[in-house]
Amino acid sequence: MINRRDHGQDPSTARRSIDPKAWSEADVPLLRAPRDFVRELHQRHLPQPGTTVVAVLDARHQLIASASFSTRQHLTDGWQHRNAILANLRQVVPHDLRLAAPVRTAVLLRCREGSPEWTAQDGAWMWALQDAAALHGLRCGSYIALTPAGWHVIGDGRRGRNPHSGSWSDGPLHTVTELPPRHAREPVRRTARNPHVAAVTALDALRPAASH
Protein backbone atom coordinates (compact mmCIF):
# COMPACT_ATOMS: atom_id res chain seq x y z
CA MET A 1 0.00 0.00 0.00
CA ILE A 2 2.77 2.42 0.92
CA ASN A 3 4.75 1.57 -2.23
CA ARG A 4 1.71 2.11 -4.38
CA ARG A 5 0.96 5.42 -2.77
CA ASP A 6 4.56 6.61 -2.95
CA HIS A 7 5.53 5.43 -6.40
CA GLY A 8 2.47 4.26 -8.34
CA GLN A 9 0.70 7.59 -8.68
CA ASP A 10 1.64 10.63 -10.65
CA PRO A 11 1.42 13.62 -8.28
CA SER A 12 0.23 15.77 -11.16
CA THR A 13 -2.91 13.65 -11.63
CA ALA A 14 -4.56 14.44 -8.28
CA ARG A 15 -4.97 17.44 -6.05
CA ARG A 16 -4.13 16.31 -2.56
CA SER A 17 -5.95 18.63 -0.18
CA ILE A 18 -8.30 18.49 2.81
CA ASP A 19 -11.09 20.98 3.41
CA PRO A 20 -12.19 22.05 6.91
CA LYS A 21 -15.27 19.80 6.88
CA ALA A 22 -13.25 16.68 6.07
CA TRP A 23 -10.64 17.73 8.64
CA SER A 24 -13.25 18.07 11.37
CA GLU A 25 -14.48 14.56 10.58
CA ALA A 26 -10.98 13.08 10.90
CA ASP A 27 -11.06 12.98 14.74
CA VAL A 28 -7.94 15.12 15.10
CA PRO A 29 -6.98 15.30 18.81
CA LEU A 30 -7.35 18.71 20.38
CA LEU A 31 -4.29 20.56 21.58
CA ARG A 32 -4.06 21.07 25.31
CA ALA A 33 -3.43 24.73 26.15
CA PRO A 34 -2.98 25.78 22.49
CA ARG A 35 -1.96 29.33 23.41
CA ASP A 36 0.98 28.11 25.50
CA PHE A 37 1.91 25.53 22.87
CA VAL A 38 2.00 28.07 20.04
CA ARG A 39 4.07 30.45 22.13
CA GLU A 40 6.60 27.75 23.00
CA LEU A 41 6.91 26.62 19.39
CA HIS A 42 7.26 30.21 18.21
CA GLN A 43 9.98 30.97 20.76
CA ARG A 44 11.93 27.92 19.62
CA HIS A 45 11.82 28.65 15.88
CA LEU A 46 10.77 32.31 15.35
CA PRO A 47 9.08 31.40 12.03
CA GLN A 48 8.79 33.98 9.30
CA PRO A 49 6.14 33.89 6.55
CA GLY A 50 6.89 30.91 4.34
CA THR A 51 8.22 28.81 7.22
CA THR A 52 6.63 25.58 8.43
CA VAL A 53 7.23 24.02 11.85
CA VAL A 54 6.49 20.34 12.47
CA ALA A 55 6.31 19.25 16.11
CA VAL A 56 5.94 15.89 17.82
CA LEU A 57 4.04 15.41 21.07
CA ASP A 58 4.36 12.39 23.34
CA ALA A 59 1.48 10.44 24.90
CA ARG A 60 1.17 13.12 27.62
CA HIS A 61 0.91 15.84 24.96
CA GLN A 62 4.35 17.22 25.84
CA LEU A 63 6.53 18.66 23.07
CA ILE A 64 9.47 16.28 22.50
CA ALA A 65 10.82 17.34 19.10
CA SER A 66 10.33 19.96 16.39
CA ALA A 67 11.87 21.16 13.15
CA SER A 68 11.34 24.20 10.92
CA PHE A 69 11.83 24.43 7.17
CA SER A 70 10.83 26.45 4.11
CA THR A 71 9.22 25.32 0.86
CA ARG A 72 7.55 26.93 -2.13
CA GLN A 73 4.57 28.87 -0.82
CA HIS A 74 2.04 28.64 -3.64
CA LEU A 75 1.62 24.88 -4.06
CA THR A 76 -1.95 23.64 -3.57
CA ASP A 77 -1.11 19.94 -3.93
CA GLY A 78 0.14 18.28 -0.79
CA TRP A 79 2.49 15.78 -2.42
CA GLN A 80 5.71 17.77 -2.10
CA HIS A 81 4.68 19.16 1.27
CA ARG A 82 4.24 15.60 2.53
CA ASN A 83 7.75 14.69 1.45
CA ALA A 84 9.20 17.77 3.19
CA ILE A 85 7.37 17.03 6.45
CA LEU A 86 8.39 13.38 6.36
CA ALA A 87 12.03 14.23 5.74
CA ASN A 88 12.09 16.53 8.76
CA LEU A 89 10.26 14.04 10.97
CA ARG A 90 12.90 11.45 10.13
CA GLN A 91 15.60 13.85 11.30
CA VAL A 92 14.11 14.54 14.73
CA VAL A 93 12.33 11.33 15.84
CA PRO A 94 12.44 7.62 14.95
CA HIS A 95 9.30 6.16 13.37
CA ASP A 96 6.67 4.25 15.34
CA LEU A 97 5.55 1.96 12.53
CA ARG A 98 6.03 -1.17 14.64
CA LEU A 99 3.46 -0.07 17.21
CA ALA A 100 -0.09 -1.42 17.01
CA ALA A 101 -1.46 2.10 17.45
CA PRO A 102 0.17 5.56 17.42
CA VAL A 103 1.16 7.00 20.79
CA ARG A 104 2.84 10.19 19.55
CA THR A 105 1.24 13.01 17.62
CA ALA A 106 2.50 15.23 14.79
CA VAL A 107 1.38 18.88 14.77
CA LEU A 108 2.03 21.46 12.07
CA LEU A 109 2.34 25.25 12.32
CA ARG A 110 2.40 27.16 9.06
CA CYS A 111 3.48 30.81 9.11
CA ARG A 112 2.04 32.69 6.15
CA GLU A 113 0.52 35.96 5.00
CA GLY A 114 -3.13 36.46 4.13
CA SER A 115 -6.41 35.56 5.78
CA PRO A 116 -6.44 33.69 9.09
CA GLU A 117 -9.18 31.44 7.70
CA TRP A 118 -8.65 28.22 5.76
CA THR A 119 -7.10 28.54 2.28
CA ALA A 120 -6.32 26.06 -0.48
CA GLN A 121 -2.67 26.14 0.59
CA ASP A 122 -3.72 25.17 4.10
CA GLY A 123 -5.67 22.28 2.64
CA ALA A 124 -2.57 20.97 0.90
CA TRP A 125 -0.54 21.19 4.11
CA MET A 126 -3.27 19.46 6.10
CA TRP A 127 -3.28 16.56 3.65
CA ALA A 128 0.51 16.47 3.83
CA LEU A 129 0.49 16.37 7.63
CA GLN A 130 -2.05 13.56 7.71
CA ASP A 131 -0.15 11.45 5.19
CA ALA A 132 3.32 12.11 6.62
CA ALA A 133 2.12 11.26 10.13
CA ALA A 134 0.70 7.93 8.91
CA LEU A 135 3.89 7.07 7.03
CA HIS A 136 5.94 7.76 10.18
CA GLY A 137 3.67 5.85 12.54
CA LEU A 138 2.34 8.97 14.25
CA ARG A 139 -1.13 10.26 14.95
CA CYS A 140 -2.17 13.29 12.92
CA GLY A 141 -2.61 16.29 15.19
CA SER A 142 -3.63 19.91 14.82
CA TYR A 143 -2.85 22.29 11.98
CA ILE A 144 -2.15 25.88 13.01
CA ALA A 145 -2.08 28.90 10.70
CA LEU A 146 0.09 31.80 11.88
CA THR A 147 -0.94 34.95 10.00
CA PRO A 148 -0.85 38.74 10.49
CA ALA A 149 -4.07 38.39 12.53
CA GLY A 150 -2.50 35.90 14.95
CA TRP A 151 -2.71 32.12 15.32
CA HIS A 152 -5.68 29.94 14.39
CA VAL A 153 -6.09 26.21 15.01
CA ILE A 154 -7.90 25.26 11.82
CA GLY A 155 -10.91 23.06 12.44
CA ASP A 156 -11.62 23.77 16.10
CA GLY A 157 -11.80 27.57 15.95
CA ARG A 158 -9.40 28.37 18.77
CA ARG A 159 -7.25 31.40 18.05
CA GLY A 160 -5.32 34.31 19.53
CA ARG A 161 -3.68 37.58 18.45
CA ASN A 162 -0.15 36.76 19.59
CA PRO A 163 2.16 35.51 18.32
CA HIS A 164 1.46 36.44 14.72
CA SER A 165 3.35 36.15 11.43
CA GLY A 166 5.37 39.28 12.17
CA SER A 167 6.34 38.35 15.72
CA TRP A 168 9.63 36.85 14.58
CA SER A 169 11.06 40.39 14.48
CA ASP A 170 10.37 40.70 18.20
CA GLY A 171 12.54 37.67 18.95
CA PRO A 172 15.26 37.63 21.60
CA LEU A 173 18.10 40.07 21.01
CA HIS A 174 21.53 40.06 22.63
CA THR A 175 21.22 41.19 26.24
CA VAL A 176 23.79 42.51 28.67
CA THR A 177 24.34 39.02 30.05
CA GLU A 178 25.35 37.88 26.57
CA LEU A 179 28.01 40.54 26.11
CA PRO A 180 31.70 39.88 26.81
CA PRO A 181 32.91 40.60 30.38
CA ARG A 182 33.16 44.27 31.39
CA HIS A 183 36.96 44.38 31.09
CA ALA A 184 36.65 43.22 27.49
CA ARG A 185 34.05 45.88 26.66
CA GLU A 186 35.56 48.94 28.36
CA PRO A 187 38.21 49.70 25.68
CA VAL A 188 35.48 49.64 23.05
CA ARG A 189 33.24 51.95 25.07
CA ARG A 190 36.05 54.45 25.66
CA THR A 191 36.97 54.71 21.99
CA ALA A 192 33.45 54.88 20.61
CA ARG A 193 31.73 58.28 20.42
CA ASN A 194 28.32 56.72 19.85
CA PRO A 195 27.03 54.25 22.49
CA HIS A 196 25.23 52.27 19.77
CA VAL A 197 28.51 51.73 17.94
CA ALA A 198 30.02 50.40 21.15
CA ALA A 199 27.18 47.93 21.55
CA VAL A 200 27.55 46.65 18.00
CA THR A 201 31.31 46.30 18.35
CA ALA A 202 30.91 44.40 21.62
CA LEU A 203 28.53 42.00 19.96
CA ASP A 204 30.99 41.49 17.14
CA ALA A 205 33.40 40.10 19.73
CA LEU A 206 31.00 37.21 20.25
CA ARG A 207 31.27 36.09 16.64
CA PRO A 208 34.00 33.61 15.69
CA ALA A 209 36.92 35.09 13.81
CA ALA A 210 36.81 34.60 10.06
CA SER A 211 39.13 31.93 8.76
CA HIS A 212 41.91 32.98 6.46
Side-chain angles (χ1 to χ4, degrees):
M1 182 68 176
I2 292 177
N3 289 336
R4 181 181 65 82
R5 177 163 49 186
D6 281 349
H7 304 292
Q9 296 182 0
D10 181 354
S12 65
T13 63
R15 182 185 175 192
R16 295 162 180 82
S17 180
I18 297 179
D19 59 35
K21 180 180 179 181
W23 186 257
S24 64
E25 296 171 352
D27 192 27
V28 175
L30 295 177
L31 277 173
R32 298 178 185 176
R35 186 184 306 275
D36 294 338
F37 174 78
V38 172
R39 285 178 177 173
E40 179 180 4
L41 210 59
H42 188 274
Q43 288 172 0
R44 287 174 178 266
H45 295 277
L46 293 178
Q48 301 181 31
T51 301
T52 301
V53 182
V54 59
V56 179
L57 310 180
D58 64 14
R60 297 176 299 171
H61 288 247
Q62 299 296 315
L63 178 64
I64 58 173
S66 61
S68 60
F69 55 94
S70 298
T71 60
R72 286 184 289 175
Q73 300 185 37
H74 303 295
L75 295 176
T76 56
D77 187 298
W79 181 270
Q80 293 186 11
H81 296 330
R82 187 281 307 271
N83 294 339
I85 295 172
L86 192 57
N88 281 274
L89 284 174
R90 287 169 175 164
Q91 290 183 16
V92 296
V93 290
H95 68 74
D96 283 344
L97 294 173
R98 294 184 178 87
L99 299 180
V103 296
R104 299 188 292 184
T105 304
V107 175
L108 205 70
L109 182 148
R110 175 70 179 163
C111 184
R112 61 169 176 78
E113 300 291 1
S115 168
E117 306 306 323
W118 181 88
T119 67
Q121 292 181 33
D122 293 325
W125 281 104
M126 291 158 74
W127 181 94
L129 172 62
Q130 188 178 71
D131 211 48
L135 290 174
H136 206 62
L138 305 175
R139 189 178 185 185
C140 177
S142 296
Y143 176 85
I144 305 161
L146 192 68
T147 70
W151 57 271
H152 178 201
V153 185
I154 303 292
D156 69 27
R158 291 181 292 178
R159 64 183 72 202
R161 294 183 178 180
N162 288 296
H164 51 79
S165 60
S167 295
W168 63 271
S169 61
D170 300 326
L173 300 175
H174 288 289
T175 64
V176 173
T177 57
E178 294 173 311
L179 292 173
R182 180 180 295 275
H183 65 79
R185 289 186 284 126
E186 284 178 348
V188 177
R189 184 178 289 111
R190 285 197 300 266
T191 57
R193 296 181 179 177
N194 188 324
H196 298 291
V197 174
V200 172
T201 308
L203 290 175
D204 288 341
L206 294 176
R207 302 189 181 97
S211 59
H212 297 283

mmCIF file of all heavy atoms in Angstrom, residues 80-104:
data_model
loop_
_atom_site.group_PDB
_atom_site.id
_atom_site.type_symbol
_atom_site.label_atom_id
_atom_site.label_comp_id
_atom_site.label_asym_id
_atom_site.label_seq_id
_atom_site.Cartn_x
_atom_site.Cartn_y
_atom_site.Cartn_z
ATOM 1 N N GLN A 80 4.369 17.324 -2.463
ATOM 2 C CA GLN A 80 5.709 17.774 -2.101
ATOM 3 C C GLN A 80 5.779 18.215 -0.649
ATOM 4 O O GLN A 80 6.796 18.045 0.012
ATOM 5 C CB GLN A 80 6.155 18.893 -3.037
ATOM 6 C CG GLN A 80 6.365 18.437 -4.470
ATOM 7 C CD GLN A 80 6.952 19.523 -5.349
ATOM 8 O OE1 GLN A 80 7.383 20.557 -4.858
ATOM 9 N NE2 GLN A 80 6.969 19.285 -6.646
ATOM 10 N N HIS A 81 4.705 18.785 -0.145
ATOM 11 C CA HIS A 81 4.680 19.158 1.266
ATOM 12 C C HIS A 81 4.824 17.916 2.148
ATOM 13 O O HIS A 81 5.536 17.931 3.157
ATOM 14 C CB HIS A 81 3.373 19.872 1.606
ATOM 15 C CG HIS A 81 3.182 21.176 0.890
ATOM 16 N ND1 HIS A 81 4.232 21.977 0.502
ATOM 17 C CD2 HIS A 81 2.042 21.829 0.503
ATOM 18 C CE1 HIS A 81 3.766 23.066 -0.086
ATOM 19 N NE2 HIS A 81 2.441 22.993 -0.099
ATOM 20 N N ARG A 82 4.132 16.846 1.776
ATOM 21 C CA ARG A 82 4.235 15.597 2.530
ATOM 22 C C ARG A 82 5.673 15.112 2.597
ATOM 23 O O ARG A 82 6.175 14.715 3.660
ATOM 24 C CB ARG A 82 3.338 14.542 1.885
ATOM 25 C CG ARG A 82 3.191 13.214 2.654
ATOM 26 C CD ARG A 82 4.365 12.240 2.501
ATOM 27 N NE ARG A 82 4.723 11.946 1.127
ATOM 28 C CZ ARG A 82 4.181 10.951 0.409
ATOM 29 N NH1 ARG A 82 3.261 10.186 0.933
ATOM 30 N NH2 ARG A 82 4.605 10.732 -0.816
ATOM 31 N N ASN A 83 6.360 15.151 1.489
ATOM 32 C CA ASN A 83 7.749 14.693 1.452
ATOM 33 C C ASN A 83 8.642 15.562 2.346
ATOM 34 O O ASN A 83 9.540 15.053 3.023
ATOM 35 C CB ASN A 83 8.269 14.712 0.017
ATOM 36 C CG ASN A 83 7.560 13.695 -0.864
ATOM 37 O OD1 ASN A 83 6.974 12.737 -0.371
ATOM 38 N ND2 ASN A 83 7.604 13.905 -2.168
ATOM 39 N N ALA A 84 8.402 16.865 2.359
ATOM 40 C CA ALA A 84 9.198 17.766 3.194
ATOM 41 C C ALA A 84 8.944 17.501 4.677
ATOM 42 O O ALA A 84 9.881 17.463 5.487
ATOM 43 C CB ALA A 84 8.873 19.219 2.856
ATOM 44 N N ILE A 85 7.684 17.323 5.055
ATOM 45 C CA ILE A 85 7.366 17.027 6.454
ATOM 46 C C ILE A 85 7.995 15.715 6.873
ATOM 47 O O ILE A 85 8.608 15.606 7.949
ATOM 48 C CB ILE A 85 5.843 16.978 6.652
ATOM 49 C CG1 ILE A 85 5.216 18.343 6.396
ATOM 50 C CG2 ILE A 85 5.507 16.500 8.071
ATOM 51 C CD1 ILE A 85 3.698 18.319 6.386
ATOM 52 N N LEU A 86 7.859 14.701 6.031
ATOM 53 C CA LEU A 86 8.388 13.381 6.359
ATOM 54 C C LEU A 86 9.903 13.412 6.521
ATOM 55 O O LEU A 86 10.463 12.797 7.441
ATOM 56 C CB LEU A 86 7.981 12.380 5.272
ATOM 57 C CG LEU A 86 8.188 10.900 5.569
ATOM 58 C CD1 LEU A 86 7.448 10.486 6.830
ATOM 59 C CD2 LEU A 86 7.722 10.061 4.371
ATOM 60 N N ALA A 87 10.574 14.132 5.646
ATOM 61 C CA ALA A 87 12.033 14.229 5.737
ATOM 62 C C ALA A 87 12.460 14.858 7.057
ATOM 63 O O ALA A 87 13.430 14.419 7.687
ATOM 64 C CB ALA A 87 12.577 15.036 4.557
ATOM 65 N N ASN A 88 11.735 15.876 7.502
ATOM 66 C CA ASN A 88 12.087 16.527 8.762
ATOM 67 C C ASN A 88 11.710 15.678 9.968
ATOM 68 O O ASN A 88 12.433 15.666 10.969
ATOM 69 C CB ASN A 88 11.429 17.903 8.830
ATOM 70 C CG ASN A 88 12.164 18.944 8.029
ATOM 71 O OD1 ASN A 88 13.102 19.571 8.503
ATOM 72 N ND2 ASN A 88 11.768 19.121 6.772
ATOM 73 N N LEU A 89 10.604 14.957 9.891
ATOM 74 C CA LEU A 89 10.262 14.037 10.970
ATOM 75 C C LEU A 89 11.346 12.980 11.150
ATOM 76 O O LEU A 89 11.721 12.636 12.279
ATOM 77 C CB LEU A 89 8.916 13.351 10.682
ATOM 78 C CG LEU A 89 7.657 14.179 10.902
ATOM 79 C CD1 LEU A 89 6.432 13.404 10.437
ATOM 80 C CD2 LEU A 89 7.517 14.565 12.370
ATOM 81 N N ARG A 90 11.865 12.485 10.061
ATOM 82 C CA ARG A 90 12.901 11.453 10.133
ATOM 83 C C ARG A 90 14.178 11.971 10.775
ATOM 84 O O ARG A 90 14.950 11.198 11.348
ATOM 85 C CB ARG A 90 13.189 10.921 8.726
ATOM 86 C CG ARG A 90 12.084 10.029 8.168
ATOM 87 C CD ARG A 90 12.262 9.741 6.694
ATOM 88 N NE ARG A 90 11.277 8.790 6.206
ATOM 89 C CZ ARG A 90 11.006 8.585 4.922
ATOM 90 N NH1 ARG A 90 11.656 9.298 3.988
ATOM 91 N NH2 ARG A 90 10.103 7.698 4.561
ATOM 92 N N GLN A 91 14.392 13.271 10.703
ATOM 93 C CA GLN A 91 15.597 13.849 11.296
ATOM 94 C C GLN A 91 15.477 14.028 12.803
ATOM 95 O O GLN A 91 16.485 14.022 13.505
ATOM 96 C CB GLN A 91 15.897 15.201 10.643
ATOM 97 C CG GLN A 91 16.353 15.098 9.202
ATOM 98 C CD GLN A 91 16.717 16.452 8.619
ATOM 99 O OE1 GLN A 91 16.904 17.422 9.356
ATOM 100 N NE2 GLN A 91 16.823 16.537 7.308
ATOM 101 N N VAL A 92 14.252 14.191 13.308
ATOM 102 C CA VAL A 92 14.113 14.538 14.725
ATOM 103 C C VAL A 92 13.588 13.412 15.607
ATOM 104 O O VAL A 92 13.839 13.406 16.814
ATOM 105 C CB VAL A 92 13.219 15.784 14.905
ATOM 106 C CG1 VAL A 92 13.876 17.002 14.274
ATOM 107 C CG2 VAL A 92 11.824 15.571 14.338
ATOM 108 N N VAL A 93 12.845 12.439 15.031
ATOM 109 C CA VAL A 93 12.329 11.332 15.841
ATOM 110 C C VAL A 93 12.324 10.051 15.018
ATOM 111 O O VAL A 93 12.074 10.081 13.813
ATOM 112 C CB VAL A 93 10.890 11.602 16.353
ATOM 113 C CG1 VAL A 93 10.870 12.699 17.392
ATOM 114 C CG2 VAL A 93 9.953 11.911 15.209
ATOM 115 N N PRO A 94 12.573 8.899 15.653
ATOM 116 C CA PRO A 94 12.438 7.620 14.946
ATOM 117 C C PRO A 94 10.966 7.319 14.687
ATOM 118 O O PRO A 94 10.084 7.834 15.376
ATOM 119 C CB PRO A 94 13.055 6.614 15.924
ATOM 120 C CG PRO A 94 12.879 7.240 17.258
ATOM 121 C CD PRO A 94 13.020 8.723 17.049
ATOM 122 N N HIS A 95 10.696 6.486 13.690
ATOM 123 C CA HIS A 95 9.303 6.161 13.369
ATOM 124 C C HIS A 95 8.715 5.201 14.417
ATOM 125 O O HIS A 95 9.439 4.556 15.173
ATOM 126 C CB HIS A 95 9.194 5.561 11.966
ATOM 127 C CG HIS A 95 9.815 4.198 11.835
ATOM 128 N ND1 HIS A 95 9.244 3.057 12.358
ATOM 129 C CD2 HIS A 95 10.969 3.795 11.241
ATOM 130 C CE1 HIS A 95 9.987 2.003 12.081
ATOM 131 N NE2 HIS A 95 11.052 2.430 11.420
ATOM 132 N N ASP A 96 7.399 5.142 14.433
ATOM 133 C CA ASP A 96 6.674 4.249 15.341
ATOM 134 C C ASP A 96 5.849 3.233 14.560
ATOM 135 O O ASP A 96 4.784 2.791 15.007
ATOM 136 C CB ASP A 96 5.747 5.063 16.253
ATOM 137 C CG ASP A 96 6.491 5.751 17.383
ATOM 138 O OD1 ASP A 96 7.646 5.361 17.650
ATOM 139 O OD2 ASP A 96 5.929 6.682 17.989
ATOM 140 N N LEU A 97 6.333 2.832 13.402
ATOM 141 C CA LEU A 97 5.546 1.963 12.530
ATOM 142 C C LEU A 97 5.342 0.567 13.116
ATOM 143 O O LEU A 97 4.420 -0.146 12.712
ATOM 144 C CB LEU A 97 6.234 1.855 11.164
ATOM 145 C CG LEU A 97 6.272 3.162 10.356
ATOM 146 C CD1 LEU A 97 7.128 2.999 9.107
ATOM 147 C CD2 LEU A 97 4.859 3.608 9.985
ATOM 148 N N ARG A 98 6.171 0.166 14.060
ATOM 149 C CA ARG A 98 6.034 -1.168 14.638
ATOM 150 C C ARG A 98 4.972 -1.235 15.737
ATOM 151 O O ARG A 98 4.608 -2.313 16.195
ATOM 152 C CB ARG A 98 7.377 -1.635 15.205
ATOM 153 C CG ARG A 98 8.451 -1.852 14.137
ATOM 154 C CD ARG A 98 9.731 -2.409 14.744
ATOM 155 N NE ARG A 98 10.743 -2.664 13.735
ATOM 156 C CZ ARG A 98 11.613 -1.760 13.308
ATOM 157 N NH1 ARG A 98 11.580 -0.535 13.822
ATOM 158 N NH2 ARG A 98 12.497 -2.059 12.381
ATOM 159 N N LEU A 99 4.475 -0.098 16.163
ATOM 160 C CA LEU A 99 3.458 -0.073 17.210
ATOM 161 C C LEU A 99 2.085 -0.416 16.636
ATOM 162 O O LEU A 99 1.777 -0.099 15.484
ATOM 163 C CB LEU A 99 3.406 1.301 17.869
ATOM 164 C CG LEU A 99 4.693 1.775 18.569
ATOM 165 C CD1 LEU A 99 4.471 3.157 19.178
ATOM 166 C CD2 LEU A 99 5.128 0.788 19.635
ATOM 167 N N ALA A 100 1.262 -1.056 17.464
ATOM 168 C CA ALA A 100 -0.087 -1.422 17.015
ATOM 169 C C ALA A 100 -0.945 -0.179 16.788
ATOM 170 O O ALA A 100 -1.817 -0.161 15.910
ATOM 171 C CB ALA A 100 -0.744 -2.337 18.047
ATOM 172 N N ALA A 101 -0.713 0.853 17.589
ATOM 173 C CA ALA A 101 -1.458 2.105 17.448
ATOM 174 C C ALA A 101 -0.535 3.266 17.779
ATOM 175 O O ALA A 101 0.353 3.133 18.630
ATOM 176 C CB ALA A 101 -2.673 2.121 18.373
ATOM 177 N N PRO A 102 -0.703 4.409 17.142
ATOM 178 C CA PRO A 102 0.173 5.558 17.417
ATOM 179 C C PRO A 102 0.043 6.043 18.854
ATOM 180 O O PRO A 102 -1.053 6.069 19.414
ATOM 181 C CB PRO A 102 -0.327 6.619 16.436
ATOM 182 C CG PRO A 102 -1.086 5.881 15.392
ATOM 183 C CD PRO A 102 -1.678 4.701 16.079
ATOM 184 N N VAL A 103 1.169 6.419 19.446
ATOM 185 C CA VAL A 103 1.161 6.998 20.789
ATOM 186 C C VAL A 103 1.677 8.434 20.765
ATOM 187 O O VAL A 103 1.466 9.177 21.722
ATOM 188 C CB VAL A 103 2.012 6.166 21.772
ATOM 189 C CG1 VAL A 103 1.424 4.781 21.936
ATOM 190 C CG2 VAL A 103 3.457 6.077 21.305
ATOM 191 N N ARG A 104 2.346 8.825 19.680
ATOM 192 C CA ARG A 104 2.838 10.192 19.548
ATOM 193 C C ARG A 104 2.067 10.901 18.442
ATOM 194 O O ARG A 104 1.499 10.262 17.560
ATOM 195 C CB ARG A 104 4.338 10.197 19.273
ATOM 196 C CG ARG A 104 5.147 9.565 20.396
ATOM 197 C CD ARG A 104 6.634 9.735 20.208
ATOM 198 N NE ARG A 104 7.138 8.965 19.071
ATOM 199 C CZ ARG A 104 8.431 8.892 18.744
ATOM 200 N NH1 ARG A 104 9.329 9.549 19.476
ATOM 201 N NH2 ARG A 104 8.821 8.188 17.713
#
